[in-house]
Amino acid sequence: MFKKILIANRGEIALRIIRTCKEMGISTVAVYSTADRDSLHVRFADEAVCIGPPKSKDSYLNMQNIMAVAELTNADAIHPGYGFLAENAEFSDLCAQYNIKFIGPRGHMIRAMGDKITAKETMLKAGVPCIPGSDGLVADLSEAKTTAAKIGYPIIIKATAGGGGKGMRIVWDEAGLEKAYTMARTEAGASFGNDGVYMEKFIEEPRHIEIQVAGDQYGEACHLSERDCSVQRRHQKLVEEAPSPFVDDELREAMGAAAVKAVKAIQYESVGTVEFLVDKHRNFYFMEMNTRIQVEHPVTEEVMDFDLIKEQIMIAAGTAISGMLYFPHKMHAIECRINAEDPMNNFAPSPGKITALHTPKGYGVRVDTHIYAGYTVPPFYDSLLAKVICRAKTREECIVKMKRALEEFVIEGVKTTIPFHLVLMDNEEFRSGKFDTGLLERFDYVQAIKESIVEI
Ligand code: MV4
């Protein structure tokens, strides 16, 4: 097992990783930017080294500085968390070159999933269902026209270097194709330095359901059931839960088997997530694979009663996953992401000093956070302040518990998404469990928040 792990991240996930390392008897090295001097990950780690100025590209993305710190402190592994360098194939390769274990997949596994056309081809060969679409890149407008006619409108144009919803264009009929195709290519070129695009049938009213997976160094793989992440705003997840109110045992078994096929096809090593779109007829299609630990991993931890960070570290150290297979759900878990954003103003970022804080507690309530009273939320990074994860026997009880927890949560000094989550927990569509990724376009949460304030 590793003796010392460097955590190349900040915020709640850095703390989350430090906690598991402590429980495993592994010492920790934190790295931090000058904006994060007073952060808890700096205090809770055994050692901490400043790696540069506030901007991510000068600090948390500075591979050379981070490798230098790992060498200097004699760390034998690096945990990248999520975001920053977590899905940087070059960094994974660099770690291998320096003989420091990257706690995540090898570079070529990240590359296999990073290019979306390559990923889709690999999945099709492995027998994982994919959305009908173009055969690879769409070279020009005339090919776009014939392909779209063959697939049938509506279609969606996606960037092969994209992901997470960036650079997508929906086209409803041939009249809209030329403009959408041209703009998609221009946008992809500007955003990713790669203007390659492909086409798919547009799936209407889909649910976003993802399967947590793990693969070891010996080619063995398993899944740990699903998370439903259909509550999103502009491709930002706000709420995740498990089990999905839409998934029955039959669908779970089929999606789990497909996800395991995906993992085995690339001999994936580490924990990861296979994202699927599920249509209203329960057809499911591979969308993307995330080759990292995800923000919403605690939802799975709560329903499976299983430390995913510990598993990720064990896999990196060479432990086989033979014993850990899927077993049925006994509990329901929901996670609400609490961001320093103003839901009354289009979720605009709201950095600043937290003047007062009380976090929710009690049976079935978990809060993963790095904030404290007096902490200043810097404007340079993502605005996640805390994750509230509730666990109960049924979905209904879990929603009640989440409302209770959110009502207890006091954060003063910055605007937060707590008022949004409070009204969402009362939304009929959410409560019914019968919703898709379009939920927030139909829900006037601004009005609901205004009304909830009047009530008090
Ligand atoms: C789609 C789709 C419908 N049809 N692909 C959004 C994120 C990126 N991973 C792919 N996405 C979508 N791909 C086809 N063929 C709809 C979306 C989509 C979406 C997916 C999951 C969660 C929220 C979403 C919001 C809008 C669009």
Side-chain angles (χ1 to χ4, degrees), residues 119-400:
K120 203 171 161 179
E121 276 168 4
T122 311
M123 291 304 105
L124 274 172
K125 264 189 221 144
V128 179
C130 293
I131 304 168
S134 60
D135 186 11
L137 286 170
V138 178
D140 53 39
L141 183 61
S142 88
E143 193 183 327
K145 273 188 188 157
T146 51
T147 309
K150 206 163 24 170
I151 302 170
Y153 291 92
I155 59 108
I156 185 166
I157 307 173
K158 296 181 176 183
T160 190
K166 271 176 274 176
M168 302 186 329
R169 277 276 185 291
I170 300 162
V171 190
W172 297 95
D173 50 37
E174 196 176 309
L177 186 63
E178 180 167 359
K179 191 175 165 209
Y181 177 78
T182 312
M183 288 192 52
R185 286 198 70 154
T186 308
E187 235 175 69
S191 312
F192 313 115
N194 173 353
D195 71 351
V197 298
Y198 63 106
M199 274 162 121
E200 284 177 348
K201 178 86 191 162
F202 178 63
I203 310 290
E204 296 181 67
E205 295 164 31
R207 291 189 79 123
H208 173 130
I209 299 173
E210 56 187 33
I211 305 281
Q212 176 69 52
V213 292
D216 67 20
Q217 294 178 20
Y218 317 101
E220 198 48 66
C222 70
H223 78 89
L224 293 108
S225 79
E226 83 281 6
R227 290 184 291 261
D228 194 317
C229 309
S230 298
V231 183
Q232 306 197 1
R233 182 185 167 274
R234 300 192 183 165
H235 307 299
Q236 293 295 319
K237 294 171 186 164
L238 288 162
V239 177
E240 305 94 350
E241 66 180 304
S244 165
F246 191 73
V247 175
D248 56 20
D249 287 343
E250 190 188 339
L251 182 57
R252 180 171 301 115
E253 202 167 305
M255 291 179 72
V260 169
K261 269 190 204 167
V263 172
K264 288 193 173 175
I266 60 163
Q267 297 221 14
Y268 186 74
E269 172 200 325
S270 192
V271 300
T273 301
V274 184
E275 293 186 349
F276 292 99
L277 275 186
V278 184
D279 70 16
K280 53 186 168 230
H281 312 295
R282 292 176 188 277
N283 299 308
F284 64 89
Y285 307 96
F286 170 81
M287 190 163 50
E288 285 173 21
M289 179 167 177
N290 298 315
T291 55
R292 60 169 190 276
I293 190 82
Q294 284 187 279
V295 174
E296 61 269 29
H297 77 275
V299 166
T300 302
E301 296 189 325
E302 294 304 315
V303 294
M304 303 294 288
D305 199 13
F306 193 86
D307 183 336
L308 277 169
I309 301 281
K310 182 175 175 186
E311 197 55 39
Q312 190 185 22
I313 294 171
M314 303 257 284
I315 287 170
T319 306
I321 57 168
S322 57
M324 57 175 260
L325 286 167
Y326 166 71
F327 52 91
H329 294 285
K330 287 193 180 68
M331 300 296 274
H332 196 94
I334 301 178
E335 171 178 280
C336 288
R337 296 192 189 190
I338 313 303
N339 297 327
E341 293 170 0
D342 182 5
M344 302 302 276
N345 183 21
N346 273 310
F347 288 78
S350 176
K353 186 170 176 170
I354 293 169
T355 52
L357 177 70
H358 175 81
T359 54
K361 294 159 185 85
Y363 182 56
V365 178
R366 165 178 172 183
V367 181
D368 280 17
T369 185
H370 59 295
I371 65 172
Y372 55 85
Y375 173 73
T376 298
V377 182
F380 310 104
Y381 316 108
D382 85 26
S383 59
L384 185 69
L385 293 180
K387 306 187 295 203
V388 182
I389 307 105
C390 288
R391 177 168 79 155
K393 283 210 174 66
T394 65
R395 184 169 192 268
E396 291 69 29
E397 282 177 69
C398 203
I399 292 172
V400 169

